[in-house]
Amino acid sequence: MVSFIKRVFTFGDKPVEKPVEEKPPVIAPEVAPTESEAAAVQAELEPKPREEDLPVAPVDPVAPAEMETAGGPSADLADEADEVAVLPGVEETSDLGVVPLSLLEAEAAAETDNAGPSETADLIPVLPKGFSTSKSEPDVVAVVPPAKLTWFQRLRAGLARTSSQLTGQIAALFTKRKLDDETLEDLEDLLIQADLGVETAMRITGTLSAERYGKDVTGEDVSRIMSAEITKVLSPVAKPLQLDLNHKPHVILVVGVNGTGKTTTIGKLAAKLSGSGLKVMLAAGDTFRAAAIEQLKIWADRTNSEFIGTKLGADAAGLAYDAYVQAKEKKSDVLIIDTAGRLQNKAELMAELEKIVRVLAKLDPDAPHTVLQTLDATTGQNAMNQVEIFRNVAGVSGLIMTKLDGTARGGILVAIAAKHRLPVYFIGVGEGIDDLEPFEAKDFAEAIAGLTPAPH
């Protein structure tokens, strides 16, 4: 029985097959055999039982070692009794010799734990003298944020063009020269060219002549006197913007030529007012530019202000009317109305601005309560003409100077203040939401003169 099992079955990875019993070929005899020969052949072909003396296992007739062989019983049967070491916690193999998955995973984990780092990874080459190996990680350089400039430093940087040209020319003028009439005339010309205006230039030269005539004069002397005289001109116009909150809403109309920063200035004003707890509404009265409407909407969102707009090309006076009615209903404290940028030499456009003022006056006899004009500090003498026209048409009550950057010609503000005596409420030195500050006469004068302010 055992030999039959061994002949018929194999164990291991090969599939179980039943061997085909080969039959001896039948050869036709050339001569018919005799009866005795046929009987001998027949006896030879009869199957004879095989007698084998094989050890019989007490349980399994096939030894475990023989299960991995495909050609029959193993010759080394004496090793059957040897104990096979089994990993603790490992499942026993099945009768067909399939290794359980848990055993494969345990062996793979053991190989991973025993595997050490690659020999080449830890090898550091020894370089010749004059060489070194680079570090695996780059050095981390701490980024130090730039120091925040003070307001005066930013103002002085904005007026750098005016102050550097002016102080440089003054220093060259008074090098090794005593103060005489010719020198005073040259100084007056320099001050007028710096857009300070004739009146301010005469005040500076007059004071300088009274103090230092016939004496040696330095550039520092002129800068000190210039700063003092400009402060005297600007101090009367450096006023805070007064809001009459008995009028709800207090209407602020913002006018100015295109490009002077009206919309941005409105956003900055809204940020200051809403930040102090006032309820603000912004009206997009520049109906000629879609970008202006969108920009004002963005500022309204940023400053938590109410917003009212209309379609492109709509009547600006009609929008001003609707804005006032809604601001009244919503109990807004302040209503700021943007207007389209109008060139002061376009009569038909200025007439439309007059219409906005008339419509607001019908709703409130005192409206608009404040009319602010934005001035571009880079325009120079043209800003003087703008103030004259807008003051006559819209009744401008105060100024805001914008774009005080490195290209500014800030001296024109001194000339405007001397001639029109209009209040200057704010000045702007950038596009940021906090880049609008109240106008300070002394700081502005010292920045133009190139002086360093005394510590407070």
Side-chain angles (χ1 to χ4, degrees):
M1 182 65 181
V2 175
S3 61
F4 173 76
I5 294 176
K6 293 179 180 178
R7 287 199 307 269
V8 175
F9 297 97
T10 57
F11 302 90
D13 297 330
K14 293 184 179 182
V16 179
E17 297 180 357
K18 181 176 181 179
V20 180
E21 183 178 355
E22 297 182 358
K23 297 181 179 180
V26 178
I27 303 175
E30 296 180 358
V31 182
T34 62
E35 292 182 3
S36 59
E37 290 176 348
V41 171
Q42 186 66 27
E44 187 69 24
L45 293 177
E46 287 292 333
K48 298 179 180 179
R50 294 177 56 186
E51 296 182 3
E52 297 179 2
D53 186 13
L54 297 177
V56 180
V59 178
D60 191 347
V62 181
E66 295 176 347
M67 297 182 68
E68 297 181 358
T69 63
S74 172
D76 191 6
L77 298 178
D79 296 335
E80 288 180 351
D82 293 344
E83 295 183 359
V84 180
V86 180
L87 292 176
V90 178
E91 301 172 4
E92 295 182 357
T93 59
S94 64
D95 293 340
L96 297 180
V98 179
V99 181
L101 179 61
S102 59
L103 178 60
L104 296 176
E105 293 176 347
E107 291 179 351
E111 291 178 359
T112 303
D113 295 339
N114 294 332
S118 61
E119 297 179 359
T120 57
D122 295 336
L123 292 179
I124 301 177
V126 179
L127 298 179
K129 186 177 181 181
F131 294 89
S132 65
T133 57
S134 62
K135 295 182 179 179
S136 59
E137 296 182 359
D139 294 335
V140 178
V141 180
V143 179
V144 180
K148 187 175 181 179
L149 298 178
T150 64
W151 170 249
F152 181 81
Q153 290 172 331
R154 298 168 67 190
L155 176 62
R156 185 169 181 175
L159 295 172
R161 176 181 176 182
T162 300
S163 63
S164 60
Q165 291 182 354
L166 190 56
T167 55
Q169 292 171 343
I170 290 174
L173 179 63
F174 287 96
T175 301
K176 298 181 179 180
R177 290 182 64 177
K178 293 184 182 297
L179 185 62
D180 52 21
D181 293 339
E182 182 180 358
T183 307
L184 289 173
E185 290 180 3
D186 292 340
L187 175 61
E188 187 173 307
D189 291 340
L190 288 178
L191 298 175
I192 294 174
Q193 292 173 11
D195 295 328
L196 292 176
V198 176
E199 181 180 343
T200 304
M202 292 179 64
R203 292 184 61 159
I204 294 172
T205 54
T207 303
L208 183 63
S209 175
E211 292 186 8
R212 307 294 297 175
Y213 191 84
K215 301 178 181 178
D216 292 334
V217 178
T218 63
E220 288 78 4
D221 294 332
V222 178
S223 295
R224 176 180 53 81
I225 292 175
M226 179 171 60
S227 175
E229 293 303 320
I230 291 176
T231 301
K232 292 178 182 178
V233 174
L234 295 179
S235 292
V237 302
K239 298 179 179 180
L241 175 56
Q242 294 183 352
L243 298 179
D244 187 359
L245 296 181
N246 292 322
H247 294 278
K248 286 198 176 183
H250 182 103
V251 181
I252 301 176
L253 186 67
V254 182
V255 302
V257 176
N258 267 340
T260 56
K262 294 189 308 299
T263 307
T264 303
T265 300
I266 291 173
K268 296 176 182 179
L269 290 173
K272 291 182 177 296
L273 294 173
S274 62
S276 63
L278 296 179
K279 190 174 183 180
V280 181
M281 175 179 286
L282 305 183
D286 187 353
T287 59
F288 290 92
R289 291 190 307 124
I293 299 175
E294 295 173 359
Q295 184 182 7
L296 195 65
K297 178 64 170 62
I298 293 173
W299 275 109
D301 294 339
R302 292 178 64 185
T303 59
N304 296 321
S305 303
E306 297 284 346
F307 174 80
I308 180 172
T310 185
K311 63 182 180 179
L312 191 65
D315 181 31
L319 174 71
Y321 182 93
D322 293 339
Y324 183 90
V325 172
Q326 289 194 27
K328 192 81 172 177
E329 293 176 352
K330 295 183 177 182
K331 298 182 180 180
S332 297
D333 297 304
V334 181
L335 169 63
I336 307 178
I337 304 176
D338 192 10
T339 61
R342 287 160 172 80
L343 297 175
Q344 68 273 20
N345 57 355
K346 299 293 183 180
E348 65 277 10
L349 296 179
M350 300 302 288
E352 189 176 72
L353 181 59
E354 291 179 329
K355 181 181 177 181
I356 295 175
V357 175
R358 290 197 306 270
V359 168
L360 291 172
K362 290 180 180 180
L363 297 169
D364 183 346
D366 297 326
H369 307 99
T370 303
V371 180
L372 297 178
Q373 181 179 352
T374 54
L375 293 176
D376 186 344
T378 65
T379 57
Q381 286 295 326
N382 195 30
M384 179 74 76
N385 299 329
Q386 294 174 15
V387 173
E388 291 175 357
I389 300 297
F390 279 98
R391 188 176 187 183
N392 294 332
V393 172
V396 174
S397 55
L399 305 174
I400 296 178
M401 176 158 277
T402 64
K403 301 184 180 181
L404 277 169
D405 53 23
T407 61
R409 300 168 64 181
I412 190 61
L413 185 60
V414 181
I416 292 173
K419 182 176 181 178
H420 294 285
R421 305 292 198 273
L422 281 172
V424 181
Y425 296 125
F426 298 95
I427 54 176
V429 294
E431 297 295 327
I433 195 170
D434 297 323
D435 293 334
L436 189 72
E437 288 292 330
F439 179 67
E440 298 289 345
K442 190 171 185 296
D443 290 347
F444 193 89
E446 290 178 343
I448 288 182
L451 298 180
T452 302
H456 298 290

